[in-house]
Amino acid sequence: MRTSRLEECKRRKIEPKLPPNPAPHITDRLIEIGLTEAAGMGVGPISWVQIDAWQRLTGVPIAPWEARLLRTLSLAYLAEVRRAEAETCPPPWRIETTAREREIEEAELRSVLG
C-alpha cells in the first residue's frame, strides 16, 4: 500500500508546508460534513441533501453561496484525489524544497547507491 504525501513527510520528520487558508471556518465545515460521500461503487462529492442535513442538525445557518462553495470544494477535492493517484502527480501547490528535505533525499540516495 502506498503512503500519502503527509505520511511520507511525517516519516521523514518534515513539517509539510500547506497553502494559506483565508477561510478556515469554511474548510472546518467541509471536513465536519465530510469531504466526500459514498456514491454507487465509489465516492462522490457531498450532496445538497447532506449539506442541508448538516445545516439543520447543527443549527448552523449557512448562506446559499456558502452551500455552493462547500459543494464546489468537495468536487475539487475529489478531482484532486483522482489526479493524485498518479505517482508522478506534483503537489497541488508549488513550494520550494528546503535544505532539510534535500539532505534527507541525498542521504537516502547515498544509502541506496553506496
Side-chain angles (χ1 to χ4, degrees):
M1 185 169 111
R2 283 185 15 215
T3 58
S4 71
R5 286 189 185 111
L6 180 59
E7 291 166 336
E8 189 64 23
C9 284
K10 286 179 181 177
R11 183 185 72 76
R12 293 176 169 191
K13 296 180 177 42
I14 296 171
E15 185 67 32
K17 294 179 184 150
L18 300 174
N21 183 357
H25 69 286
I26 297 288
T27 52
D28 289 348
R29 290 174 183 176
L30 177 63
I31 290 167
E32 188 173 324
I33 293 168
L35 297 167
T36 61
E37 64 180 58
M41 294 180 66
V43 295
I46 56 173
S47 66
W48 296 110
V49 171
Q50 190 75 7
I51 294 168
D52 182 57
W54 177 86
Q55 179 178 233
R56 283 183 294 104
L57 292 170
T58 62
V60 177
I62 57 175
W65 70 266
E66 289 175 297
R68 287 190 300 275
L69 179 58
L70 289 167
R71 171 108 169 132
T72 299
L73 289 172
S74 178
L75 286 162
Y77 174 82
L78 191 55
E80 185 62 26
V81 165
R82 290 184 178 143
R83 188 178 79 86
E85 289 174 355
E87 273 187 45
T88 57
C89 178
W93 62 91
R94 194 81 174 146
I95 57 172
E96 289 191 33
T97 305
T98 65
R100 169 97 174 112
E101 291 168 324
R102 254 190 308 281
E103 288 171 14
I104 291 169
E105 287 292 328
E106 289 171 3
E108 287 181 357
L109 278 172
R110 278 192 296 276
S111 73
V112 171
L113 301 175

